[in-house]
Amino acid sequence: MILLQPEFNNFYLSLLLAIALVILCYKRPNTSIYLFAGLGLLMLFCMRLPVLMYNNQLNVDESQMVSNLRALAKNPIYWQSADGGTVGPATYYSALVVTLFQESIDFRSIRLVGFILLICNLLLFYKTSCLLFGKKAALQASVYVAIFFTFVIHPDFLHYSSEQFPIFLLNIAIYIQAIMYVNKKSHGLYYFFLGLIVGIIPFAKLQAIPLIAVMAVFQLFQLRQKTWPQSLMGGIVGVATFPLLLLVFLNYFNLLEDFWTYYIEDNIIYTGTNKRAYGIINVVKLLGKSFDFFFYWIGIIGVSMLIGKRKMQWLSNPIFIFIFGLLVAGLYAAVVTKNNFPHYLHFLVFPLGLLFAQALSLQTEKNTRIILLPFILFLGWTLVEEVYMSKISAHLKLMKTNAALNISPVANYIKSRAKEGDKMSVWGWQGKLYIEADVLQAVAENQTLHCMQESVLKQNHIHRYLQDLERSQARFVIDATQDDPGYLAPIEKVAAVNNYVLKNYTLDTTISNNRIFIRK
């Protein structure tokens, strides 16, 4: 396929399509939406196909996701066979449903899940913007958001991240809210479905709760005087539905304590015990970690200010207040852990897009050219990246020429010794070894940071780790801590684990500073 040929530069084809879309949405906004959708999908697919076919991790979180999904495919009991840490069961089960229809569960299949979610999110964004701001503004804003996702090359926006499914749910909920706001719908059924979607989100990613809070406040103000009891009751029943079903599931499999300890308490610790100072400078650093994202948001804020200063009354518009609240909540969700991971910025992409769509809806004949500023700024940056830095060409070449799974010497050795049904544990944070060796994880947590780092739950994690090793009778234990000795603690540093390994395993060999233990 020509799009996967190393000598073919996908960038320039996507750039031509992007320019065509910008001209169309500026000069011919009444053109068939199907033409816009077709050109936009081709533009996005052209740049994303090499990424979809690249069967190696772009981020360590992908290895954790793939390994957990393989474990869940064999034993689909979350918190028993797999624990995604800050990622909830709803995210994993949704991905599992899609990946099971594919040939294998690997980096390509999980990235395909992300691509499907991206297309759905773009569609929901367009439909929501269309309801709130009209077709022209929705089209222009949607093209801009699609262009961002087409040309962004930061790995944190390309790999399958745990933010994508909760953002999909958030976009569904916001779309329902838009329907109710525009059409003045207050029937209890609408509130039930809104509540049902919102009730799932905390069990996909607790980090999204600040955005839910903003949505809840906005919706409470939309309650109608005559129908508010039915509406409120519908919402409450909807919100309670998924948690109650999960409660039944947890109780049946005796996992209530695991849920509370390893999901609720661990997430509180993750966001609450990081005492580093985190001022405005750190926020700016996070917003600038990806220059692609930097030019995306700076263009939107710039145009919104230029258009909005002439119509200051929009600041009191309920929709503007709602969007502003989503932006503040999204920023809080991105920075609350103080870890500055760029993939947390996913929480800001679509709220920023809604702000852009609202600004575009206020444009007049005098300032129509202003809307081109973000497009020129962002596409100009991508040209600089390609022409002067060759970053995009290098990115595409890497994806195309190294698409096959790279198998490390450690994984090769495990493959040569493993038998069908064998399981292993990687002590450290090298989840890709599970995928490269094609051996199932023996423990729920396929990275052992919680067993190493000081926390009030450290002993709980160590106890569960040892229980899992004993239950699964893991054949291999790999000490991979030498890959990052300043951050990770070797087995000897954790007495209970060291004693168990000494008693039940023998050191077989050391490869690339990774010690491989085999069960006696």
Side-chain angles (χ1 to χ4, degrees):
M1 188 177 185
I2 190 170
L3 293 177
L4 294 174
Q5 294 300 314
E7 63 274 9
F8 182 80
N9 196 326
N10 306 48
F11 168 77
Y12 289 106
L13 176 56
S14 284
L15 181 64
L16 286 173
L17 290 167
I19 293 170
L21 282 166
V22 173
I23 293 171
L24 277 175
C25 72
Y26 183 71
K27 292 288 189 181
R28 298 283 187 272
N30 292 323
T31 302
S32 169
I33 188 64
Y34 297 105
L35 178 61
F36 277 104
L39 291 174
L41 185 59
L42 181 59
M43 173 188 71
L44 188 60
F45 182 73
C46 183
M47 282 291 288
R48 284 296 179 108
L49 181 61
V51 178
L52 292 173
M53 299 307 294
Y54 182 70
N55 198 24
N56 290 285
Q57 72 173 23
L58 290 169
N59 182 289
V60 67
D61 289 352
E62 276 190 324
S63 293
Q64 183 176 347
M65 176 68 74
V66 173
S67 181
N68 278 333
L69 285 173
R70 288 181 176 181
L72 287 168
K74 296 290 185 181
N75 175 25
I77 311 300
Y78 199 74
W79 289 300
Q80 189 179 90
S81 63
D83 182 349
T86 61
V87 188
T91 296
Y92 272 98
Y93 285 130
S94 63
L96 184 64
V97 169
V98 179
T99 53
L100 286 177
F101 287 99
Q102 300 178 57
E103 187 177 341
S104 61
I105 300 175
D106 55 19
F107 297 113
R108 290 174 299 190
S109 61
I110 197 63
R111 233 165 272 151
L112 180 60
V113 175
F115 187 73
I116 293 170
L117 287 172
L118 173 57
I119 300 301
C120 292
N121 280 325
L122 287 170
L123 178 61
L124 286 164
F125 172 78
Y126 170 75
K127 297 289 286 183
T128 301
S129 301
C130 212
L131 277 171
L132 296 174
F133 312 118
K135 180 183 175 183
K136 183 179 179 181
L139 200 56
Q140 291 168 342
S142 298
V143 166
Y144 185 62
V145 176
I147 285 174
F148 166 72
F149 279 114
T150 297
F151 294 103
V152 63
I153 58 171
H154 194 290
D156 277 37
F157 287 99
L158 297 177
H159 81 276
Y160 178 81
S161 74
S162 58
E163 291 75 31
Q164 287 175 281
F165 182 66
I167 288 170
F168 170 63
L169 295 177
L170 286 166
N171 280 331
I172 293 175
I174 293 170
Y175 177 53
I176 295 172
Q177 288 185 290
I179 292 173
M180 290 194 287
Y181 179 81
V182 172
N183 299 318
K184 303 191 184 305
K185 300 284 187 182
S186 59
H187 194 281
L189 198 59
Y190 282 92
Y191 277 85
F192 170 78
F193 284 116
L194 176 62
L196 180 64
I197 297 300
V198 167
I200 299 172
I201 295 173
F203 305 101
K205 188 87 171 178
L206 277 174
Q207 217 168 325
I209 285 179
L211 289 97
I212 297 174
V214 171
M215 293 163 65
V217 171
F218 174 78
Q219 205 56 48
L220 284 172
F221 278 99
Q222 304 307 310
L223 287 171
R224 309 291 170 190
Q225 187 173 358
K226 291 182 180 180
T227 60
W228 74 263
Q230 303 96 303
S231 301
L232 193 60
M233 183 57 65
I236 292 171
V237 172
V239 168
T241 299
F242 186 83
L244 287 173
L245 290 173
L246 181 64
L247 188 64
V248 172
F249 168 87
L250 294 171
N251 188 58
Y252 182 81
F253 289 103
N254 196 29
L255 291 169
L256 281 168
E257 187 176 344
D258 295 74
F259 162 73
W260 183 258
T261 303
Y262 302 116
Y263 193 59
I264 302 301
E265 290 191 55
D266 258 345
N267 269 284
I268 292 171
I269 290 170
Y270 184 63
T271 57
T273 60
N274 193 334
K275 301 300 183 183
R276 296 198 309 268
Y278 198 85
I280 190 66
I281 298 300
N282 298 86
V283 175
V284 173
K285 283 181 179 179
L286 175 61
L287 293 174
K289 269 204 165 186
S290 162
F291 280 107
D292 300 324
F293 181 76
F294 174 80
F295 282 100
Y296 170 76
W297 72 261
I298 206 73
I300 289 175
I301 299 298
V303 165
S304 299
M305 292 177 67
L306 287 171
I307 293 178
K309 71 178 182 179
R310 299 174 186 175
K311 294 190 175 184
M312 297 301 290
Q313 66 269 24
W314 82 317
L315 297 178
S316 60
N317 181 286
I319 293 300
F320 171 78
I321 296 170
F322 177 50
I323 293 170
F324 183 76
L326 289 176
L327 282 170
V328 172
L331 183 60
Y332 179 76
V335 304
V336 67
T337 67
K338 303 181 180 72
N339 281 316
N340 272 21
F341 294 144
H343 57 84
Y344 290 159
L345 295 172
H346 272 101
F347 286 118
L348 287 169
V349 174
F350 288 102
L352 280 166
L354 287 173
L355 178 66
F356 188 39
Q358 186 171 30
L360 292 173
S361 71
L362 300 173
Q363 64 182 299
T364 63
E365 291 184 5
K366 294 181 180 180
N367 59 17
T368 51
R369 291 184 181 179
I370 293 177
I371 71 162
L372 292 174
L373 180 62
F375 296 97
I376 293 169
L377 192 64
F378 186 81
L379 291 175
W381 161 247
T382 63
L383 273 170
V384 170
E385 276 193 305
E386 173 56 22
V387 175
Y388 293 100
M389 304 180 192
S390 299
K391 287 179 69 175
I392 297 177
S393 291
H395 155 74
L396 290 170
K397 186 176 180 181
L398 173 66
M399 299 293 107
K400 293 176 180 181
T401 57
N402 293 279
L405 180 64
N406 293 323
I407 301 177
S408 66
V410 176
N412 255 325
Y413 181 78
I414 295 295
K415 285 172 74 74
S416 71
R417 297 293 304 272
K419 301 172 184 175
E420 187 177 352
D422 280 349
K423 294 183 178 182
M424 72 177 188
S425 167
V426 178
W427 180 262
W429 202 0
Q430 283 293 331
K432 64 181 182 179
L433 289 174
Y434 294 109
I435 290 83
E436 292 173 4
D438 196 21
V439 176
L440 285 178
Q441 63 192 52
V443 293
E445 290 181 281
N446 53 32
Q447 51 83 11
T448 58
L449 295 181
H450 291 298
C451 295
M452 304 172 183
Q453 298 174 342
E454 289 304 319
S455 124
V456 294
L457 294 178
K458 179 179 177 179
Q459 293 305 317
N460 297 70
H461 284 279
I462 292 172
H463 178 70
R464 180 171 72 161
Y465 177 76
L466 294 175
Q467 274 191 328
D468 286 350
L469 280 183
E470 184 63 26
R471 173 181 50 80
S472 64
Q473 291 291 292
R475 186 170 181 219
F476 303 98
V477 173
I478 303 172
D479 185 345
T481 54
Q482 288 306 304
D483 294 317
D484 192 354
Y487 184 60
L488 304 172
I491 287 174
E492 287 79 6
K493 295 289 185 180
V494 182
V497 176
N498 186 49
N499 291 337
Y500 183 88
V501 170
L502 288 175
K503 180 181 177 181
N504 296 281
Y505 291 84
T506 56
L507 177 61
D508 184 58
T509 186
T510 300
I511 302 174
S512 303
N513 292 323
N514 285 220
R515 292 182 295 164
I516 300 173
F517 297 89
I518 295 185
R519 185 169 281 273
K520 294 177 180 177

